[in-house]
Coordinates of all heavy atoms in Angstrom, one line a residue:
M1 N 19.9 -2.4 5.1 CA 19.2 -2.1 3.8 C 18.5 -0.8 3.9 O 17.9 -0.5 5.0 CB 18.2 -3.2 3.5 CG 18.8 -4.6 3.2 SD 17.6 -5.7 2.5 CE 18.6 -7.0 2.0
P2 N 18.4 0.0 2.9 CA 17.8 1.3 2.9 C 16.3 1.2 3.2 O 15.6 0.3 2.8 CB 18.0 1.9 1.5 CG 19.2 1.1 1.0 CD 19.1 -0.2 1.6
C3 N 15.8 2.2 4.0 CA 14.4 2.2 4.4 C 13.9 3.6 4.2 O 14.6 4.6 4.3 CB 14.4 1.7 5.9 SG 12.8 1.9 6.7
V4 N 12.6 3.7 4.0 CA 11.9 5.0 3.9 C 10.6 4.9 4.7 O 10.0 3.9 4.8 CB 11.6 5.4 2.5 CG1 10.6 4.5 1.8 CG2 11.1 6.9 2.4
T5 N 10.2 6.0 5.4 CA 9.0 6.1 6.1 C 8.0 7.0 5.4 O 8.4 8.1 5.0 CB 9.2 6.7 7.5 OG1 10.1 5.8 8.2 CG2 7.9 6.8 8.3
I6 N 6.9 6.5 5.1 CA 5.8 7.3 4.4 C 4.9 7.9 5.4 O 4.2 7.2 6.1 CB 5.0 6.3 3.4 CG1 6.0 5.5 2.5 CG2 4.0 7.1 2.6 CD1 6.8 6.4 1.6
P7 N 4.8 9.2 5.4 CA 3.8 9.9 6.3 C 2.4 9.8 5.7 O 2.2 9.7 4.5 CB 4.3 11.4 6.2 CG 4.9 11.5 4.9 CD 5.5 10.2 4.5
W8 N 1.5 9.8 6.6 CA 0.1 9.7 6.2 C -0.3 11.1 5.6 O -1.0 11.2 4.6 CB -0.9 9.3 7.3 CG -2.3 9.4 6.9 CD1 -2.9 8.5 6.0 CD2 -3.3 10.4 7.2 NE1 -4.2 8.9 5.8 CE2 -4.4 10.0 6.5 CE3 -3.3 11.5 7.9 CZ2 -5.6 10.7 6.6 CZ3 -4.4 12.3 8.0 CH2 -5.6 11.9 7.3
E9 N 0.2 12.2 6.2 CA -0.2 13.5 5.7 C 0.9 13.9 4.7 O 2.0 14.1 5.0 CB -0.2 14.5 6.9 CG -1.4 14.2 7.8 CD -1.5 15.3 8.9 OE1 -0.9 16.4 8.7 OE2 -2.2 15.0 9.8
A10 N 0.4 14.0 3.5 CA 1.3 14.3 2.4 C 1.5 15.8 2.3 O 0.7 16.6 2.8 CB 0.7 13.8 1.0
P11 N 2.6 16.3 1.7 CA 2.8 17.7 1.5 C 1.7 18.3 0.7 O 1.1 17.6 -0.1 CB 4.1 17.8 0.7 CG 4.8 16.5 1.0 CD 3.7 15.5 1.2
S12 N 1.3 19.5 1.0 CA 0.1 20.1 0.4 C 0.2 20.2 -1.2 O -0.8 20.2 -1.8 CB -0.1 21.6 0.9 OG 1.1 22.3 0.7
E13 N 1.4 20.2 -1.7 CA 1.5 20.2 -3.2 C 1.3 18.9 -3.8 O 1.2 18.8 -5.1 CB 2.9 20.8 -3.6 CG 4.1 20.0 -3.3 CD 4.6 20.2 -1.9 OE1 4.1 21.0 -1.1 OE2 5.6 19.6 -1.6
S14 N 1.2 17.8 -3.1 CA 1.0 16.4 -3.6 C -0.5 16.3 -4.1 O -1.4 16.6 -3.3 CB 1.3 15.4 -2.6 OG 2.7 15.3 -2.3
P15 N -0.7 15.8 -5.3 CA -2.0 15.6 -5.8 C -2.6 14.3 -5.2 O -1.9 13.4 -4.9 CB -1.8 15.4 -7.3 CG -0.5 14.9 -7.5 CD 0.3 15.5 -6.4
G16 N -3.9 14.3 -5.0 CA -4.5 13.1 -4.6 C -4.5 12.9 -3.1 O -4.2 13.8 -2.3
P17 N -5.0 11.8 -2.6 CA -5.1 11.5 -1.2 C -3.8 11.5 -0.5 O -2.8 11.3 -1.0 CB -5.7 10.1 -1.1 CG -6.3 9.9 -2.5 CD -5.5 10.7 -3.4
P18 N -3.8 11.8 0.8 CA -2.6 11.9 1.6 C -1.7 10.6 1.6 O -2.3 9.5 1.7 CB -3.1 12.1 3.1 CG -4.4 12.6 2.9 CD -5.0 12.1 1.7
G19 N -0.4 10.7 1.3 CA 0.5 9.6 1.4 C 0.6 8.7 0.1 O 1.5 8.0 -0.1
R20 N -0.5 8.8 -0.7 CA -0.5 7.9 -1.9 C 0.7 8.1 -2.8 O 1.3 7.2 -3.2 CB -1.9 8.1 -2.7 CG -2.0 7.2 -3.9 CD -3.1 7.6 -4.8 NE -3.1 9.0 -5.2 CZ -2.4 9.5 -6.2 NH1 -1.6 8.7 -6.9 NH2 -2.5 10.8 -6.5
A21 N 1.0 9.4 -3.2 CA 2.0 9.6 -4.1 C 3.4 9.2 -3.6 O 4.2 8.6 -4.3 CB 2.1 11.1 -4.5
E22 N 3.6 9.4 -2.3 CA 4.8 9.0 -1.6 C 5.0 7.5 -1.6 O 6.0 7.0 -1.8 CB 4.9 9.6 -0.2 CG 5.1 11.1 -0.1 CD 3.8 11.9 -0.4 OE1 2.7 11.3 -0.4 OE2 3.9 13.1 -0.6
L23 N 3.9 6.8 -1.3 CA 3.9 5.4 -1.3 C 4.2 4.8 -2.7 O 5.1 3.9 -2.8 CB 2.6 4.8 -0.8 CG 2.4 3.3 -0.8 CD1 3.5 2.6 0.0 CD2 1.1 2.9 -0.2
E24 N 3.5 5.3 -3.7 CA 3.8 4.9 -5.1 C 5.2 5.1 -5.5 O 5.9 4.3 -6.1 CB 2.8 5.5 -6.0 CG 1.4 4.9 -5.8 CD 0.3 5.7 -6.7 OE1 0.6 6.7 -7.3 OE2 -0.8 5.2 -6.7
G25 N 5.7 6.3 -5.1 CA 7.1 6.7 -5.5 C 8.1 5.7 -4.8 O 9.1 5.3 -5.5
A26 N 7.9 5.4 -3.6 CA 8.8 4.5 -2.9 C 8.7 3.1 -3.5 O 9.8 2.4 -3.5 CB 8.4 4.5 -1.4
L27 N 7.6 2.6 -3.9 CA 7.5 1.3 -4.5 C 8.2 1.3 -5.8 O 8.7 0.3 -6.2 CB 6.0 0.9 -4.6 CG 5.3 0.5 -3.4 CD1 3.8 0.4 -3.6 CD2 5.9 -0.8 -2.9
E28 N 8.1 2.4 -6.6 CA 8.8 2.4 -7.9 C 10.3 2.5 -7.8 O 11.0 2.1 -8.7 CB 8.3 3.6 -8.7 CG 6.8 3.4 -9.1 CD 6.2 4.6 -9.8 OE1 7.0 5.6 -10.0 OE2 5.0 4.6 -10.1
S29 N 10.8 3.0 -6.7 CA 12.2 3.2 -6.5 C 12.9 1.9 -6.0 O 12.4 1.3 -5.0 CB 12.5 4.3 -5.5 OG 13.9 4.4 -5.1
S30 N 13.9 1.5 -6.6 CA 14.6 0.3 -6.1 C 15.6 0.7 -5.0 O 16.3 -0.2 -4.5 CB 15.4 -0.3 -7.3 OG 16.4 0.6 -7.8
S31 N 15.6 1.9 -4.6 CA 16.5 2.3 -3.5 C 16.1 1.8 -2.1 O 16.9 1.7 -1.2 CB 16.6 3.8 -3.5 OG 17.1 4.4 -4.7
Y32 N 14.8 1.5 -2.0 CA 14.2 1.2 -0.7 C 13.8 -0.3 -0.7 O 13.1 -0.8 -1.5 CB 13.0 2.0 -0.3 CG 13.3 3.5 -0.4 CD1 12.7 4.3 -1.4 CD2 14.3 4.1 0.4 CE1 12.9 5.6 -1.5 CE2 14.5 5.4 0.3 CZ 13.9 6.2 -0.6 OH 14.1 7.6 -0.7
H33 N 14.3 -1.0 0.3 CA 14.0 -2.4 0.5 C 12.9 -2.6 1.6 O 12.2 -3.6 1.6 CB 15.2 -3.3 0.9 CG 16.3 -3.2 -0.1 ND1 16.2 -3.9 -1.3 CD2 17.4 -2.5 -0.1 CE1 17.3 -3.6 -2.0 NE2 18.0 -2.8 -1.4
T34 N 12.7 -1.6 2.4 CA 11.7 -1.6 3.5 C 11.0 -0.2 3.4 O 11.6 0.8 3.4 CB 12.3 -1.8 4.9 OG1 12.9 -3.0 4.9 CG2 11.2 -1.8 5.9
I35 N 9.6 -0.3 3.4 CA 8.8 0.9 3.4 C 8.0 0.9 4.6 O 7.2 -0.1 4.8 CB 7.9 1.0 2.1 CG1 8.8 1.0 0.8 CG2 7.0 2.2 2.2 CD1 8.1 0.9 -0.5
L36 N 8.1 1.8 5.5 CA 7.4 1.9 6.7 C 6.2 2.9 6.6 O 6.4 4.0 6.1 CB 8.3 2.4 7.9 CG 9.5 1.6 8.2 CD1 10.4 2.2 9.3 CD2 9.1 0.2 8.6
L37 N 5.0 2.4 7.0 CA 3.8 3.3 6.8 C 3.4 3.7 8.2 O 3.1 2.9 9.1 CB 2.7 2.5 6.2 CG 3.0 2.1 4.7 CD1 1.9 1.2 4.2 CD2 3.1 3.2 3.8
L38 N 3.3 5.0 8.4 CA 2.8 5.6 9.7 C 1.3 5.3 9.8 O 0.6 5.1 8.8 CB 3.1 7.1 9.8 CG 4.6 7.4 9.8 CD1 4.8 8.9 9.8 CD2 5.3 6.8 11.0
P39 N 0.7 5.4 11.0 CA -0.7 5.2 11.2 C -1.5 6.2 10.3 O -1.1 7.4 10.3 CB -0.9 5.4 12.7 CG 0.4 5.0 13.3 CD 1.4 5.5 12.3
G40 N -2.5 5.7 9.7 CA -3.4 6.5 8.9 C -4.1 5.7 7.8 O -3.8 4.5 7.6
R41 N -5.0 6.3 7.1 CA -5.8 5.6 6.0 C -5.2 6.1 4.7 O -5.4 7.3 4.4 CB -7.3 5.9 6.2 CG -8.1 5.2 5.1 CD -9.6 5.3 5.4 NE -10.0 4.6 6.6 CZ -10.4 3.3 6.7 NH1 -10.5 2.6 5.6 NH2 -10.7 2.8 7.8
Y42 N -4.6 5.2 4.0 CA -4.0 5.6 2.6 C -5.1 5.2 1.6 O -5.3 4.1 1.3 CB -2.8 4.8 2.4 CG -1.6 5.1 3.4 CD1 -1.6 4.6 4.7 CD2 -0.6 6.0 3.1 CE1 -0.6 4.9 5.6 CE2 0.4 6.3 4.0 CZ 0.3 5.8 5.2 OH 1.3 6.1 6.2
L43 N -5.7 6.3 1.1 CA -6.8 6.1 0.1 C -6.2 5.9 -1.3 O -5.5 6.8 -1.8 CB -7.8 7.3 0.1 CG -8.4 7.6 1.5 CD1 -9.2 8.9 1.4 CD2 -9.3 6.5 1.9
L44 N -6.5 4.7 -1.9 CA -5.9 4.4 -3.1 C -6.9 4.6 -4.2 O -8.0 4.3 -4.1 CB -5.4 3.0 -3.1 CG -4.4 2.6 -2.0 CD1 -4.1 1.1 -2.1 CD2 -3.2 3.4 -2.2
T45 N -6.5 5.3 -5.3 CA -7.3 5.5 -6.5 C -7.1 4.5 -7.5 O -7.8 4.3 -8.5 CB -7.1 6.9 -7.0 OG1 -5.7 7.1 -7.3 CG2 -7.6 7.9 -6.1
E46 N -6.0 3.7 -7.4 CA -5.7 2.6 -8.3 C -4.8 1.6 -7.5 O -4.3 1.9 -6.4 CB -5.0 3.0 -9.5 CG -3.7 3.8 -9.3 CD -3.1 4.3 -10.6 OE1 -3.8 4.9 -11.3 OE2 -1.9 4.1 -10.8
M47 N -4.8 0.4 -8.0 CA -4.1 -0.7 -7.2 C -2.6 -0.4 -7.1 O -2.0 0.3 -8.0 CB -4.3 -2.0 -7.8 CG -3.6 -2.3 -9.1 SD -3.9 -4.0 -9.6 CE -3.1 -3.9 -11.2
L48 N -2.0 -0.9 -6.1 CA -0.5 -0.9 -6.0 C 0.0 -2.1 -6.7 O -0.2 -3.2 -6.3 CB -0.1 -0.9 -4.5 CG -0.5 0.3 -3.6 CD1 -0.2 0.1 -2.2 CD2 0.1 1.6 -4.1
D49 N 0.8 -1.9 -7.8 CA 1.3 -2.9 -8.5 C 2.8 -3.1 -8.1 O 3.6 -2.2 -8.3 CB 1.3 -2.7 -10.0 CG 1.7 -3.8 -10.9 OD1 2.2 -4.8 -10.3 OD2 1.6 -3.7 -12.1
I50 N 3.1 -4.2 -7.4 CA 4.4 -4.4 -6.8 C 5.1 -5.5 -7.7 O 4.6 -6.6 -7.9 CB 4.3 -4.9 -5.4 CG1 3.5 -3.8 -4.5 CG2 5.7 -5.1 -4.8 CD1 3.3 -4.2 -3.1
A51 N 6.3 -5.1 -8.2 CA 7.0 -6.0 -9.1 C 8.5 -6.1 -8.7 O 9.4 -6.1 -9.5 CB 6.9 -5.5 -10.5
R52 N 8.8 -6.1 -7.4 CA 10.2 -6.2 -6.9 C 10.2 -6.7 -5.5 O 9.1 -6.8 -4.8 CB 10.9 -4.9 -7.1 CG 10.3 -3.8 -6.1 CD 11.1 -2.5 -6.3 NE 10.7 -1.5 -5.3 CZ 11.3 -1.3 -4.2 NH1 12.2 -2.1 -3.8 NH2 10.9 -0.4 -3.4
D53 N 11.4 -7.1 -5.0 CA 11.5 -7.5 -3.6 C 11.4 -6.3 -2.7 O 12.1 -5.3 -2.9 CB 12.9 -8.1 -3.4 CG 13.1 -9.4 -4.2 OD1 12.1 -10.0 -4.7 OD2 14.2 -9.9 -4.2
V54 N 10.4 -6.3 -1.8 CA 10.2 -5.2 -0.9 C 9.4 -5.6 0.3 O 8.6 -6.6 0.2 CB 9.5 -4.0 -1.6 CG1 8.0 -4.4 -2.0 CG2 9.5 -2.7 -0.9
T55 N 9.6 -4.9 1.4 CA 8.8 -5.1 2.6 C 8.0 -3.9 2.9 O 8.5 -2.7 2.9 CB 9.7 -5.4 3.9 OG1 10.4 -6.6 3.7 CG2 8.8 -5.5 5.1
L56 N 6.6 -4.0 3.0 CA 5.8 -2.9 3.5 C 5.4 -3.3 4.9 O 4.8 -4.3 5.1 CB 4.5 -2.9 2.6 CG 4.6 -2.3 1.2 CD1 3.2 -2.4 0.5 CD2 5.0 -0.9 1.2
R57 N 5.7 -2.4 5.8 CA 5.5 -2.6 7.2 C 4.8 -1.4 7.9 O 5.2 -0.3 7.7 CB 6.8 -2.9 7.9 CG 6.7 -3.2 9.4 CD 8.0 -3.6 10.0 NE 8.4 -4.9 9.5 CZ 9.6 -5.1 9.0 NH1 10.6 -4.2 9.0 NH2 9.9 -6.3 8.6
A58 N 3.8 -1.7 8.7 CA 3.1 -0.7 9.5 C 4.0 -0.4 10.7 O 4.5 -1.3 11.3 CB 1.7 -1.1 9.9
T59 N 4.2 0.9 11.0 CA 4.9 1.2 12.2 C 4.1 0.8 13.5 O 4.7 0.5 14.5 CB 5.3 2.7 12.3 OG1 4.1 3.5 12.3 CG2 6.3 3.0 11.2
V60 N 2.8 0.8 13.4 CA 1.9 0.3 14.5 C 1.0 -0.7 13.8 O 0.2 -0.3 12.9 CB 1.1 1.5 15.1 CG1 0.2 0.9 16.2 CG2 2.0 2.6 15.6
A61 N 1.1 -1.9 14.2 CA 0.4 -3.0 13.5 C -1.2 -2.7 13.5 O -1.8 -2.3 14.5 CB 0.6 -4.3 14.3
G62 N -1.7 -2.8 12.3 CA -3.2 -2.6 12.1 C -3.6 -1.2 12.0 O -4.8 -0.9 11.7
E63 N -2.7 -0.2 12.2 CA -3.1 1.2 12.2 C -2.8 1.9 10.8 O -3.2 3.0 10.6 CB -2.4 1.9 13.3 CG -2.9 1.5 14.7 CD -4.3 1.8 14.9 OE1 -4.8 2.8 14.6 OE2 -5.0 0.9 15.5
A64 N -2.0 1.2 9.9 CA -1.8 1.7 8.6 C -2.8 1.0 7.7 O -2.7 -0.2 7.5 CB -0.4 1.5 8.1
V65 N -3.7 1.7 7.1 CA -4.8 1.1 6.3 C -4.6 1.4 4.9 O -4.6 2.6 4.5 CB -6.2 1.7 6.8 CG1 -7.3 1.1 6.0 CG2 -6.4 1.5 8.3
L66 N -4.5 0.4 4.1 CA -4.5 0.5 2.6 C -6.0 0.4 2.2 O -6.5 -0.7 2.3 CB -3.6 -0.5 1.9 CG -2.1 -0.4 2.3 CD1 -1.4 -1.5 1.6 CD2 -1.6 1.0 2.0
D67 N -6.6 1.4 1.7 CA -8.1 1.4 1.4 C -8.3 1.6 -0.1 O -8.0 2.6 -0.7 CB -8.7 2.6 2.2 CG -10.2 2.6 2.1 OD1 -10.8 2.0 1.2 OD2 -10.8 3.3 3.0
G68 N -8.9 0.5 -0.7 CA -9.2 0.6 -2.1 C -10.5 1.3 -2.5 O -10.8 1.5 -3.6
Q69 N -11.2 1.8 -1.4 CA -12.4 2.6 -1.6 C -13.5 2.0 -2.5 O -14.3 2.6 -3.1 CB -12.1 4.0 -2.2 CG -11.0 4.8 -1.4 CD -10.8 6.2 -2.0 OE1 -11.6 7.0 -1.8 NE2 -9.7 6.3 -2.7
N70 N -13.4 0.6 -2.5 CA -14.4 -0.2 -3.2 C -14.4 0.1 -4.7 O -15.3 -0.1 -5.5 CB -15.8 0.0 -2.7 CG -16.0 -0.6 -1.4 OD1 -15.5 -1.6 -1.0 ND2 -16.7 0.1 -0.5
T71 N -13.2 0.7 -5.2 CA -13.1 1.0 -6.6 C -12.0 0.2 -7.3 O -12.0 0.2 -8.6 CB -12.9 2.5 -6.8 OG1 -11.7 2.9 -6.2 CG2 -14.0 3.3 -6.3
S72 N -11.0 -0.3 -6.6 CA -9.9 -1.0 -7.2 C -9.4 -2.1 -6.3 O -9.5 -2.1 -5.1 CB -8.8 0.0 -7.6 OG -8.1 0.4 -6.4
R73 N -8.7 -3.0 -6.9 CA -7.9 -4.0 -6.2 C -6.9 -3.1 -5.4 O -6.4 -2.1 -5.8 CB -7.2 -4.9 -7.2 CG -6.3 -5.9 -6.5 CD -5.6 -6.8 -7.5 NE -6.6 -7.5 -8.3 CZ -6.4 -8.6 -9.0 NH1 -5.1 -9.0 -9.2 NH2 -7.3 -9.2 -9.7
V74 N -6.5 -3.6 -4.2 CA -5.6 -2.9 -3.3 C -4.2 -3.1 -3.7 O -3.4 -2.2 -4.0 CB -5.9 -3.1 -1.8 CG1 -4.9 -2.4 -1.0 CG2 -7.3 -2.7 -1.5
V75 N -3.8 -4.4 -3.7 CA -2.4 -4.8 -4.0 C -2.4 -5.9 -5.1 O -3.1 -6.8 -5.0 CB -1.7 -5.3 -2.8 CG1 -0.3 -5.8 -3.1 CG2 -1.7 -4.2 -1.7
Y76 N -1.5 -5.7 -6.1 CA -1.3 -6.8 -7.1 C 0.2 -7.0 -7.1 O 1.0 -6.1 -7.3 CB -1.8 -6.3 -8.4 CG -1.5 -7.4 -9.5 CD1 -2.3 -8.5 -9.6 CD2 -0.5 -7.2 -10.4 CE1 -2.0 -9.5 -10.5 CE2 -0.3 -8.1 -11.4 CZ -1.0 -9.3 -11.4 OH -0.8 -10.2 -12.4
I77 N 0.6 -8.3 -6.8 CA 2.0 -8.7 -6.8 C 2.3 -9.4 -8.1 O 1.8 -10.5 -8.3 CB 2.3 -9.5 -5.6 CG1 2.0 -8.7 -4.3 CG2 3.8 -10.0 -5.6 CD1 2.0 -9.5 -3.0
S78 N 3.0 -8.7 -9.0 CA 3.3 -9.4 -10.3 C 4.7 -10.1 -10.3 O 4.9 -11.0 -11.1 CB 3.3 -8.3 -11.4 OG 4.2 -7.2 -11.1
S79 N 5.6 -9.8 -9.4 CA 6.8 -10.5 -9.3 C 7.5 -10.1 -8.0 O 7.2 -9.0 -7.4 CB 7.7 -10.3 -10.5 OG 8.2 -9.0 -10.6
G80 N 8.6 -10.8 -7.6 CA 9.4 -10.4 -6.5 C 8.9 -11.1 -5.2 O 7.9 -11.9 -5.2
T81 N 9.7 -11.0 -4.2 CA 9.4 -11.5 -2.9 C 8.9 -10.3 -2.0 O 9.6 -9.4 -1.8 CB 10.6 -12.1 -2.2 OG1 11.1 -13.2 -3.0 CG2 10.3 -12.7 -0.8
I82 N 7.6 -10.4 -1.6 CA 6.9 -9.3 -1.0 C 6.6 -9.7 0.5 O 6.0 -10.7 0.7 CB 5.6 -8.9 -1.7 CG1 5.8 -8.8 -3.2 CG2 5.1 -7.6 -1.1 CD1 6.9 -7.9 -3.7
V83 N 6.9 -8.8 1.4 CA 6.5 -9.0 2.8 C 5.5 -7.9 3.2 O 5.9 -6.7 3.0 CB 7.6 -9.0 3.8 CG1 7.2 -9.1 5.2 CG2 8.6 -10.1 3.4
L84 N 4.3 -8.2 3.6 CA 3.3 -7.3 4.0 C 3.1 -7.5 5.5 O 2.7 -8.6 5.9 CB 2.0 -7.4 3.3 CG 2.0 -7.3 1.8 CD1 0.6 -7.6 1.2 CD2 2.5 -5.9 1.4
N85 N 3.5 -6.5 6.4 CA 3.5 -6.8 7.8 C 2.7 -5.7 8.6 O 3.1 -4.5 8.5 CB 5.0 -6.8 8.3 CG 5.1 -7.3 9.7 OD1 4.7 -6.6 10.6 ND2 5.8 -8.4 9.9
G86 N 1.7 -6.2 9.3 CA 0.9 -5.3 10.1 C 0.0 -4.3 9.4 O -0.6 -3.4 10.0
L87 N -0.3 -4.5 8.1 CA -1.1 -3.6 7.4 C -2.6 -4.1 7.5 O -2.9 -5.3 7.5 CB -0.7 -3.6 5.9 CG 0.7 -3.2 5.6 CD1 1.0 -3.4 4.1 CD2 1.0 -1.8 6.0
N88 N -3.5 -3.1 7.5 CA -4.9 -3.4 7.4 C -5.3 -3.1 5.9 O -5.2 -1.9 5.5 CB -5.6 -2.4 8.4 CG -7.1 -2.7 8.4 OD1 -7.7 -3.3 7.5 ND2 -7.7 -2.4 9.5
I89 N -5.7 -4.1 5.2 CA -6.0 -3.9 3.8 C -7.6 -4.1 3.7 O -8.1 -5.1 4.1 CB -5.3 -5.0 2.9 CG1 -3.8 -4.8 3.1 CG2 -5.7 -4.9 1.5 CD1 -3.0 -5.8 2.4
T90 N -8.2 -3.0 3.2 CA -9.6 -3.0 3.2 C -10.3 -2.4 1.9 O -9.6 -1.7 1.2 CB -10.2 -2.3 4.4 OG1 -11.6 -2.5 4.5 CG2 -9.9 -0.8 4.3
R91 N -11.5 -2.7 1.7 CA -12.4 -2.2 0.6 C -11.8 -2.3 -0.8 O -11.9 -1.4 -1.6 CB -12.8 -0.8 0.9 CG -13.6 -0.7 2.2 CD -14.3 0.6 2.4 NE -13.5 1.8 2.1 CZ -14.1 3.0 1.8 NH1 -15.4 3.1 1.7 NH2 -13.3 4.0 1.6
G92 N -11.2 -3.5 -1.1 CA -10.7 -3.7 -2.4 C -11.8 -4.2 -3.3 O -12.8 -4.7 -2.8
F93 N -11.6 -4.0 -4.6 CA -12.7 -4.4 -5.5 C -12.1 -5.0 -6.7 O -11.1 -4.5 -7.3 CB -13.5 -3.2 -5.9 CG -14.5 -3.5 -7.0 CD1 -15.7 -4.1 -6.7 CD2 -14.3 -3.3 -8.3 CE1 -16.7 -4.4 -7.6 CE2 -15.2 -3.6 -9.3 CZ -16.4 -4.1 -9.0
I94 N -12.6 -6.2 -7.2 CA -12.2 -6.7 -8.4 C -13.5 -7.2 -9.1 O -14.5 -7.5 -8.4 CB -11.2 -7.9 -8.3 CG1 -11.7 -9.0 -7.4 CG2 -9.8 -7.4 -7.9 CD1 -10.7 -10.1 -7.2
D95 N -13.5 -7.3 -10.4 CA -14.7 -7.7 -11.2 C -15.1 -9.1 -10.9 O -16.2 -9.5 -11.0 CB -14.5 -7.5 -12.7 CG -14.4 -6.0 -13.1 OD1 -14.7 -5.2 -12.2 OD2 -14.1 -5.8 -14.2
H96 N -14.1 -10.0 -10.6 CA -14.4 -11.4 -10.4 C -13.7 -11.8 -9.1 O -12.6 -11.3 -8.8 CB -14.0 -12.3 -11.6 CG -12.5 -12.2 -11.8 ND1 -12.0 -11.1 -12.5 CD2 -11.5 -13.0 -11.5 CE1 -10.7 -11.3 -12.6 NE2 -10.4 -12.3 -12.0
V97 N -14.2 -12.7 -8.4 CA -13.6 -13.1 -7.1 C -12.8 -14.4 -7.4 O -13.3 -15.4 -7.8 CB -14.7 -13.4 -6.0 CG1 -14.1 -13.9 -4.8 CG2 -15.5 -12.1 -5.8
C98 N -11.5 -14.3 -7.1 CA -10.6 -15.4 -7.3 C -10.2 -15.9 -5.9 O -10.0 -17.1 -5.7 CB -9.4 -15.1 -8.1 SG -8.3 -13.9 -7.4
C99 N -10.0 -15.0 -5.0 CA -9.5 -15.4 -3.7 C -10.2 -14.7 -2.5 O -9.7 -13.8 -1.9 CB -8.0 -15.0 -3.6 SG -7.0 -15.5 -5.0
P100 N -11.4 -15.1 -2.2 CA -12.2 -14.4 -1.3 C -11.6 -14.2 0.1 O -11.8 -13.2 0.8 CB -13.5 -15.2 -1.2 CG -13.3 -16.4 -1.9 CD -12.1 -16.3 -2.8
A101 N -10.7 -15.2 0.5 CA -10.1 -15.1 1.8 C -9.1 -13.9 1.9 O -8.7 -13.5 2.9 CB -9.4 -16.4 2.1
L102 N -8.7 -13.4 0.7 CA -7.6 -12.4 0.7 C -8.2 -11.0 0.4 O -7.5 -10.1 0.2 CB -6.6 -12.7 -0.3 CG -5.8 -14.1 -0.1 CD1 -4.9 -14.3 -1.3 CD2 -5.1 -14.1 1.2
M103 N -9.5 -10.8 0.3 CA -10.1 -9.6 0.0 C -10.1 -8.5 1.0 O -10.1 -7.4 0.8 CB -11.5 -9.8 -0.6 CG -11.5 -10.6 -1.9 SD -13.1 -10.7 -2.6 CE -13.5 -9.0 -3.0
N104 N -10.1 -8.9 2.3 CA -10.1 -7.9 3.4 C -9.3 -8.5 4.6 O -9.3 -9.7 4.8 CB -11.6 -7.7 3.9 CG -12.1 -6.3 3.4 OD1 -11.4 -5.4 3.3 ND2 -13.4 -6.3 3.2
G105 N -8.7 -7.6 5.3 CA -8.1 -8.1 6.5 C -6.8 -7.5 6.8 O -6.3 -6.6 6.2
V106 N -6.2 -7.9 7.9 CA -4.9 -7.4 8.4 C -3.9 -8.5 8.1 O -4.1 -9.7 8.4 CB -5.0 -7.1 10.0 CG1 -3.6 -6.7 10.5 CG2 -6.0 -6.1 10.3
V107 N -2.8 -8.1 7.6 CA -1.7 -9.0 7.3 C -0.5 -8.6 8.1 O -0.3 -7.5 8.4 CB -1.4 -9.2 5.8 CG1 -2.6 -9.7 5.1 CG2 -1.0 -7.8 5.2

């Protein structure tokens, strides 16, 4: 199955935090079934809305950090079968708490 690796350091012409645009683009593309995240902190300015079958995997367990910066939910799964492997998900924010056990941690 096709795979893509997302670098933490984005090309200088990419707007926003390092790696964010590449990650969002890979999630939107149905070409990739596995997305590998290199070690680094991926600062998110909005939640990742995942609506398809995909695997997000850290190349080094716990070293790829999806950081909501206390401003947004980190991941929202609206449909599909999603595998999150070795990711550190932190500083997510939602207006109401529905699932406190899922708000921070490594998956």
Side-chain angles (χ1 to χ4, degrees):
M1 294 191 170
C3 174
V4 64
T5 300
I6 305 299
W8 178 72
E9 292 185 15
S12 59
E13 66 274 4
S14 292
R20 180 191 54 80
E22 290 78 11
L23 176 56
E24 289 173 352
L27 284 169
E28 290 173 7
S29 171
S30 60
S31 300
Y32 307 115
H33 299 287
T34 300
I35 300 170
L36 301 175
L37 297 173
L38 294 176
R41 183 172 293 269
Y42 297 80
L43 300 175
L44 304 176
T45 54
E46 57 187 47
M47 72 178 175
L48 297 174
D49 187 353
I50 304 174
R52 66 180 187 90
D53 296 349
V54 68
T55 296
L56 286 176
R57 178 176 295 133
T59 58
V60 178
E63 296 296 317
V65 180
L66 298 180
D67 186 340
Q69 303 183 78
N70 292 320
T71 60
S72 74
R73 179 181 297 197
V74 177
V75 177
Y76 178 73
I77 300 168
S78 54
S79 67
T81 301
I82 315 304
V83 176
L84 303 174
N85 188 294
L87 302 174
N88 185 336
I89 300 173
T90 191
R91 297 195 314 155
F93 174 81
I94 53 177
D95 289 351
H96 60 282
V97 178
C98 67
C99 311
L102 301 176
M103 291 184 68
N104 254 329
V106 175
V107 296

